Amino acid sequence: MLTLAHSKRPNDLKSAIIPNPLVVSADATVMDAIALMSSRRSQCDAENHSDNHRQQFLQEARSSCVLVLEGEKLIGIMTERDVVRLSAQQQDLNRLLVREVMAHPVVTLRESDLTDLLLAVNLLQQYHIRHLPLLDDQDLLVGMVTHESLRQISRPIDLMRLRLVAEVMTPDVVSAAPDRSMLAIAQMMAEQKISSVMIVETSSADASLQIPVGIVTERDVVQFQALGLNLETCIAHTVMSTPIFSVKPEDNLLTVQQIMEQRLIRRLAVTGEFGELLGIVTQTSLLQALNPTEIYNLAKVLEAKVEQLESEKVTLLENRNIELELQVGITQRIRQSLDLPIIFDTACQEIQQLLQCDRVGIFKFDPDSNFDDGEFVAESVADGLISVMKVRIHDHCFGEGYAAAYAQGRIQVVNDIDNAGLIDCHRDVLAQFQVRANLVIPLLCGNNLWGLVCIHQCAHTRQWQEHEINLVQQIANQLSIAIQQASLYSQSQQEIAERKQAQQQLTETNQQLARATRLKDEFLANMSHELRTPLNSILGMNEALQDGIFGSINERQLKALQTIESSSTHLLALINDILDVAKIESGQVTLELTATGIDSLCKSSLAFIKQQALTKRIQLIHRVPKYLPEIMLDETRIRQVLINLLNNAVKFTLEGGTITLEVSQVQLESSTTNLTPLNYLKIAVIDTGIGISAENMQKLFQPFIQIDSALNRQYKGTGLGLALVRRLVELHGGTIELTSEVGVGSCFAINLPINIGSPAIEERTEQDLSGQSQIGQSQTEELISPLILLAEDNEANIATFSSYLEAKGYRVVLAKDGQQAIDLAKAHHPDLVLMDIQMPVIDGIEAIKQIRLNPDLVDIPIIALTALAMVGDHESCLEAGANDYLSKPIKLKQLAATIQKLL
């Protein structure tokens, strides 16, 4: 309960007394009194930067009024408000005496009676005054107290925090435009009996809003009179106090008090969202919060609320403890199996025992009946009542009248089926089974309505309690999870069987491929032997004939023999190309890598086509930078590549054209997944030939294909050259590029990695690069298969997740509690962690936090798994350090996709 100590100690109350107030005689002129008040005010301004905050406050308070003495007796008081009133009346203050305008008699208080703060506050509020003189026992003036001095010692912090500005502010604020005269403003103060006028301007955005820009107070009027200024000619905006300090209606009074103390001000504007004037809060407003009636009423309200909250809290905790104990017990028994009939029977028995009802059943809808048909798949029923098991239920009203609401998660609570407004056909179905009251909870699998948990009271009607409804709903949620987990388990088993079948088929296919490859190799070997043998005889006899070994030959015979030689050589090159392509595709080519000088490689390649180029008057340009590093490559194979490209350039370049062989170093990304640039050596063959159209570029690198039949007739070739070039370059870990424009020329460029001399690349074959061998691919995948740490204590979930992940090609290591998960993560450094949140020994949240504390494990992806799916779980898991969060029941395909994304 809130308590406020308003009975201050004598020393505390004494500090509220303002000693040595300003005094004048009754025969002094008003102007003399104003000069006295103004001089003290000026002195206060001069000391404004002093560290003595108390002295500044006392000077401010003294300058707000003068007390009138006759001899030593107090007979009256003149305040700043009186000065404003006289100024508004435009009286001659130099001739007007204080006794003519002072307020008398004066409300006073004996110093000895100042024992209670609220007594002084009540006197100020009761008589609507702002100054309360204090007298001693001989009626002599001791000092005075004001709103400001009482506020200085009143520190009801708790109450100030509880009260808002909106509760105590004055909404009706007297305001004036900045161009109003000070005389008009003084008259407004006198007429309205107020101590200040707010100076406002109209908002440029909304003409209905008044924006405060300054304030004019009684004290300002006093200062003007003391200076002898003409109030009628002086306008407000030249003398107003600015900037104006403001608060919002939703701020508390403690904020107001702190601003007033810091700024030594007595008034704050209350402004709205757009800075518009809503009201004003003053010292009087703060003291209003100390009104005894207000304090008493607030204390009573707070006390009642506290008692009510305490009572509700105790009741809530008791009910919640009971519900949690029951729910945990039932949930544990449900989670012990993935066998749905056992789960359903256990749930029905437990619910009936807990609620002491007549029947509990689990109803499953026929998916093809539009929710009109179904049957009970589990039941627990009291003795003497009919069983609903294996009874086909048809309710043609249900699908249309109720299914949509249940699918949205609505619960049906019926205390009396005869007075619940049920559809007749639905009520008749319930009456068929003697139901008088029922409670129905939907079982949802994702967004689909699977079935219902039905609780029946048959002997009489029943008023279902809220805690009973909540308990059954929680159990229904667990049943929904169990249904989905069983479905996922069945699905995973089916996928595993399909995976095994696919693997068996793949094994058989690989065996067939291996056999086909062996047969192809045998065929190629035989073909090579059978073709080369007669060619050897043809070329040998041709050479002997040309050398005249068998006698002299004439010119026509020599030309015929040269034609036979050219054709035989072309046929031999064709056979070699076919064999090379076949060997590369079957993975039988191994590169012989040696340190090779690029300049000599290029020159030797150009030498092969130099004579052909001279015949067609084609200019050969050689651009190779000096001091190129030697790189590891198969010199024979790369020379074969360059000669092939140069031969094509000569073939397709018209007479008088140009062919350029250009070498440079470039940086390229190694792959789409690894964006780190690597150094490559780029060798480009650039010609001014016929060019290639865009649609024909992709055809060039396919075996036995030329881009046009007309070209096939005009330019000789097998169509194997560029296919062989690409495969040889890829064997080196490089790439080939082509740019071309019809009628302008072409540029074929090969990019070879400069650092290809590593052991892994020295043994690289086409089989390793292409991935076409199924056997090789599976072996590679096994070597790099990611390791997943599965932290899960439920055996059914362990079986489900482990089987699925292993079927997907992952390695799995298992932890059954949080501490074991931490230890295994440190020991194995897995590629990813699947962390169940509800774990024994150490829960999943704490385990994630401890794993993240290890610098070696800080970057390992962690997926949090939980069956709770409560509000805030997602944020808690991510704050602990998880990368992602999945709520059970978890779809295995979603799990696989999430793992793939994080890996």
Side-chain angles (χ1 to χ4, degrees):
M1 179 177 174
L2 178 67
T3 58
L4 294 174
H6 55 75
S7 295
K8 295 286 184 177
R9 296 188 300 272
N11 288 340
D12 292 336
L13 291 171
K14 190 173 182 179
S15 63
I17 300 174
I18 300 170
N20 305 318
L22 301 181
V23 296
V24 295
S25 68
D27 295 326
T29 66
V30 172
M31 200 64 202
D32 292 336
I34 291 174
L36 182 60
M37 294 165 65
S38 178
S39 64
R40 287 305 178 101
R41 174 64 179 170
S42 300
Q43 182 180 354
C44 176
D45 290 340
E47 297 172 355
N48 192 39
H49 298 289
S50 170
D51 293 333
N52 194 336
H53 182 84
R54 170 72 178 169
Q55 292 301 319
Q56 293 180 34
F57 162 71
L58 292 176
Q59 294 285 32
E60 285 271 355
R62 292 188 183 107
S63 64
S64 62
C65 71
V66 292
L67 300 179
V68 184
L69 298 181
E70 193 169 65
E72 294 183 348
K73 299 296 183 181
L74 178 66
I75 62 171
I77 184 172
M78 189 180 80
T79 67
E80 291 173 328
R81 180 161 296 180
D82 296 320
V83 176
V84 171
R85 174 173 52 83
L86 296 172
S87 300
Q89 296 171 357
Q90 295 184 286
Q91 296 197 36
D92 187 355
L93 305 184
N94 288 305
R95 297 184 179 182
L96 196 62
L97 299 181
V98 171
R99 73 167 63 249
E100 299 176 45
V101 299
M102 69 181 182
H104 66 90
V106 184
V107 178
T108 62
L109 178 67
R110 292 197 180 276
E111 182 183 17
S112 57
D113 293 335
L114 185 60
T115 59
D116 192 325
L117 172 65
L118 294 181
L119 173 63
V121 173
N122 285 338
L123 285 173
L124 291 171
Q125 294 178 347
Q126 178 182 351
Y127 291 101
H128 303 287
I129 58 178
R130 288 182 289 174
H131 306 83
L132 181 62
L134 298 179
L135 306 178
D136 61 13
D137 293 338
Q138 286 76 40
D139 292 334
L140 298 179
L141 181 63
V142 175
M144 65 178 177
V145 294
T146 66
H147 289 90
E148 293 92 331
S149 67
L150 292 175
R151 182 183 59 78
Q152 289 285 330
I153 66 168
S154 64
R155 300 282 180 174
I157 302 302
D158 294 336
L159 184 59
M160 290 291 189
R161 285 200 182 103
L162 293 173
R163 302 297 298 275
L164 302 179
V165 170
E167 299 175 24
V168 301
M169 74 177 187
T170 302
D172 298 326
V173 183
V174 177
S175 61
D179 58 357
R180 293 294 298 273
S181 70
M182 285 297 293
L183 177 60
I185 290 175
Q187 290 171 344
M188 292 171 66
M189 289 183 183
E191 291 172 5
Q192 301 286 341
K193 295 183 178 179
I194 55 176
S195 61
S196 63
V197 172
M198 197 69 66
I199 307 302
V200 297
E201 290 181 344
T202 301
S203 171
S204 58
D206 186 345
S208 65
L209 301 181
Q210 299 293 319
I211 309 300
V213 295
I215 189 171
V216 176
T217 66
E218 294 171 334
R219 184 155 297 175
D220 297 324
V221 177
V222 173
Q223 287 293 101
F224 262 64
Q225 290 291 5
L227 295 172
L229 300 176
N230 189 337
L231 296 180
E232 190 172 2
T233 59
C234 187
I235 58 177
H237 80 85
T238 61
V239 297
M240 65 184 181
S241 297
T242 187
I244 190 75
F245 296 101
S246 64
V247 290
K248 300 296 182 183
E250 61 270 18
D251 291 337
N252 58 44
L253 296 187
L254 180 60
T255 301
V256 173
Q257 177 165 302
Q258 291 171 343
I259 295 176
M260 287 183 174
E261 286 183 353
Q262 292 170 1
R263 301 293 181 180
L264 288 176
I265 55 178
R266 294 184 288 179
R267 302 164 187 85
L268 290 174
V270 183
T271 57
E273 180 182 359
F274 304 105
E276 74 276 17
L277 181 63
L278 299 179
I280 188 170
V281 60
T282 67
Q283 300 279 359
T284 305
S285 305
L286 293 181
L287 286 181
Q288 182 66 27
L290 298 178
N291 185 290
T293 303
E294 293 268 342
I295 295 174
Y296 179 78
N297 291 337
L298 180 61
K300 293 295 289 183
V301 171
L302 291 175
E303 183 177 11
K305 286 184 178 180
V306 169
E307 291 177 354
Q308 178 184 355
L309 290 173
E310 287 290 340
S311 176
E312 292 176 354
K313 179 180 177 182
V314 171
T315 304
L316 180 63
L317 289 175
E318 290 176 350
N319 293 336
R320 184 58 178 160
N321 285 337
I322 295 173
E323 291 175 6
L324 285 175
E325 290 176 2
L326 297 175
Q327 180 185 339
V328 169
I330 296 174
T331 300
Q332 289 296 334
R333 286 186 283 277
I334 289 175
R335 295 179 62 185
Q336 288 173 358
S337 173
L338 281 173
D339 190 338
L340 285 181
I342 295 176
I343 292 173
F344 290 159
D345 289 339
T346 300
C348 290
Q349 294 168 9
E350 294 285 354
I351 295 173
Q352 187 195 17
Q353 181 179 355
L354 290 171
L355 300 186
Q356 293 297 302
C357 54
D358 293 329
R359 181 189 293 116
V360 177
I362 295 178
F363 182 83
K364 180 181 179 182
F365 287 107
D366 184 344
D368 299 324
S369 69
N370 195 28
F371 303 106
D372 287 338
D373 297 327
E375 63 181 358
F376 282 90
V377 295
E379 178 190 42
S380 179
V381 63
D383 295 337
L385 295 176
I386 62 174
S387 173
V388 296
M389 286 290 291
K390 298 182 181 179
V391 177
R392 192 70 180 173
I393 307 296
H394 175 73
D395 185 351
H396 65 274
C397 303
F398 188 91
E400 181 179 349
Y402 299 97
Y406 281 122
Q408 297 298 321
R410 197 202 76 174
I411 300 172
Q412 186 185 63
V413 181
V414 178
N415 299 322
D416 184 352
I417 66 170
D418 295 326
N419 298 300
L422 301 177
I423 301 173
D424 291 342
C425 55
H426 184 55
R427 186 178 64 251
D428 293 342
V429 172
L430 294 175
Q432 176 185 349
F433 298 105
Q434 303 167 297
V435 178
R436 295 291 305 280
N438 76 329
L439 175 60
V440 182
I441 313 290
L443 293 174
L444 301 175
C445 286
N447 296 323
N448 300 319
L449 179 60
W450 183 92
L452 305 169
V453 177
C454 303
I455 303 171
H456 296 161
Q457 195 69 41
C458 300
H460 50 76
T461 61
R462 175 167 179 167
Q463 186 75 30
W464 301 102
Q465 302 300 313
E466 184 177 356
H467 71 275
E468 295 174 335
I469 298 171
N470 292 335
L471 176 61
V472 177
Q473 186 174 13
Q474 293 296 327
I475 296 174
N477 290 339
Q478 294 298 323
L479 289 174
S480 294
I481 293 173
I483 293 169
Q484 295 181 71
Q485 292 283 37
S487 175
L488 289 173
Y489 180 73
S490 175
Q491 176 186 346
S492 68
Q493 292 302 312
Q494 181 180 355
E495 290 183 357
I496 291 171
E498 293 175 353
R499 177 78 176 188
K500 289 181 178 178
Q501 183 179 359
Q503 288 178 339
Q504 180 62 31
Q505 293 176 350
L506 182 61
T507 301
E508 294 174 358
T509 301
N510 282 339
Q511 292 173 351
Q512 294 174 1
L513 288 173
R515 182 175 178 272
T517 301
R518 186 179 68 255
L519 292 175
K520 184 181 71 173
D521 293 343
E522 292 174 359
F523 168 76
L524 290 174
N526 290 332
M527 186 184 73
S528 175
H529 178 268
E530 295 299 329
L531 292 177
R532 289 176 185 271
T533 299
L535 275 176
N536 181 67
S537 298
I538 293 171
L539 289 171
M541 293 296 290
N542 184 285
E543 184 180 0
L545 287 171
Q546 290 187 51
D547 291 342
I549 294 176
F550 299 107
S552 61
I553 57 176
N554 58 37
E555 186 175 347
R556 290 182 62 191
Q557 292 172 331
L558 180 60
K559 288 183 179 180
L561 290 174
Q562 289 175 344
T563 301
I564 293 172
E565 181 183 17
S566 175
S567 297
S568 299
T569 304
H570 179 68
L571 180 59
L572 181 60
L574 172 61
I575 294 171
N576 289 334
D577 284 350
I578 293 174
L579 292 176
D580 280 345
V581 171
K583 288 179 181 179
I584 292 174
E585 288 184 343
S586 63
Q588 295 180 353
V589 173
T590 301
L591 299 179
E592 301 293 336
L593 300 178
T594 58
T596 303
I598 302 303
D599 185 59
S600 61
L601 175 64
C602 292
K603 288 180 178 178
S604 63
S605 300
L606 284 170
F608 276 88
I609 56 99
K610 187 174 183 180
Q611 188 59 43
Q612 301 174 47
L614 288 174
T615 303
K616 296 180 70 174
R617 292 184 292 107
I618 296 174
Q619 181 184 4
L620 297 179
I621 300 175
H622 179 225
R623 293 178 181 169
V624 180
K626 294 182 179 180
Y627 311 116
L628 281 176
E630 291 185 339
I631 66 172
M632 299 296 292
L633 50 79
D634 188 325
E635 183 175 359
T636 302
R637 292 297 185 181
I638 295 302
R639 182 180 291 109
Q640 183 181 357
V641 167
L642 294 180
I643 292 172
N644 202 315
L645 294 177
L646 289 167
N647 267 325
N648 282 346
V650 172
K651 184 191 303 183
F652 294 105
T653 300
L654 301 178
E655 289 190 6
T658 302
I659 296 175
T660 302
L661 182 61
E662 184 176 82
V663 181
S664 60
Q665 292 191 61
V666 294
Q667 283 194 332
L668 301 174
E669 294 176 356
S670 58
S671 68
T672 56
T673 56
N674 182 10
L675 302 182
T676 304
L678 298 178
N679 293 321
Y680 282 79
L681 188 73
K682 184 172 186 175
I683 306 176
V685 176
I686 307 165
D687 64 55
T688 58
I690 62 176
I692 307 164
S693 63
E695 60 269 18
N696 288 325
M697 286 187 185
Q698 292 302 321
K699 299 179 183 179
L700 288 177
F701 299 99
Q702 300 178 22
F704 304 105
I705 289 180
Q706 285 193 330
I707 60 176
D708 186 75
S709 58
L711 290 177
N712 218 6
R713 291 191 295 269
Q714 184 177 354
Y715 301 97
K716 296 180 181 180
T718 63
L720 284 173
L722 291 177
L724 184 60
V725 164
R726 185 179 68 177
R727 284 162 173 74
L728 289 174
V729 171
E730 289 175 348
L731 273 176
H732 283 78
T735 61
I736 186 166
E737 300 174 358
L738 168 60
T739 57
S740 183
E741 184 177 349
V742 176
V744 177
S746 304
C747 174
F748 288 84
I750 62 172
N751 299 306
L752 301 174
I754 292 179
N755 54 343
I756 66 170
S758 63
I761 296 181
E762 287 178 10
E763 301 299 326
R764 182 177 297 178
T765 66
E766 176 69 7
Q767 174 177 311
D768 300 323
L769 294 172
S770 68
Q772 293 176 3
S773 171
Q774 299 288 351
I775 298 173
Q777 182 180 6
S778 63
Q779 291 172 347
T780 304
E781 288 177 353
E782 183 178 354
L783 290 175
I784 62 172
S785 177
L787 177 64
I788 295 180
L789 170 58
L790 173 62
E792 172 65 68
D793 64 318
N794 182 269
E795 293 297 334
N797 290 339
I798 291 172
T800 301
F801 292 142
S802 297
S803 301
Y804 184 78
L805 293 172
E806 289 172 355
K808 288 292 185 181
Y810 298 107
R811 294 175 295 143
V812 178
V813 60
L814 176 65
K816 293 190 176 182
D817 61 60
Q819 184 59 55
Q820 190 177 6
I822 297 169
D823 297 339
L824 288 176
K826 295 177 180 178
H828 293 278
H829 291 268
D831 297 291
L832 184 139
V833 178
L834 295 177
M835 180 68 71
D836 185 26
I837 298 305
Q838 291 180 293
M839 296 276 288
V841 184
I842 296 178
D843 63 60
I845 293 290
E846 183 61 30
I848 292 173
K849 292 179 180 178
Q850 293 194 28
I851 288 174
R852 288 303 188 213
L853 292 176
N854 190 319
D856 296 333
L857 307 178
V858 71
D859 293 325
I860 293 178
I862 300 178
I863 302 175
L865 312 175
T866 179
L868 292 179
M870 300 296 289
V871 176
D873 284 353
H874 182 266
E875 291 76 11
S876 299
C877 293
L878 295 183
E879 289 175 3
N883 298 85
D884 211 332
Y885 168 98
L886 295 176
S887 176
K888 296 179 181 178
I890 297 166
K891 294 183 178 178
L892 296 179
K893 290 182 180 179
Q894 180 188 9
L895 176 63
T898 305
I899 292 174
Q900 186 65 31
K901 178 184 71 174
L902 293 177
L903 289 179

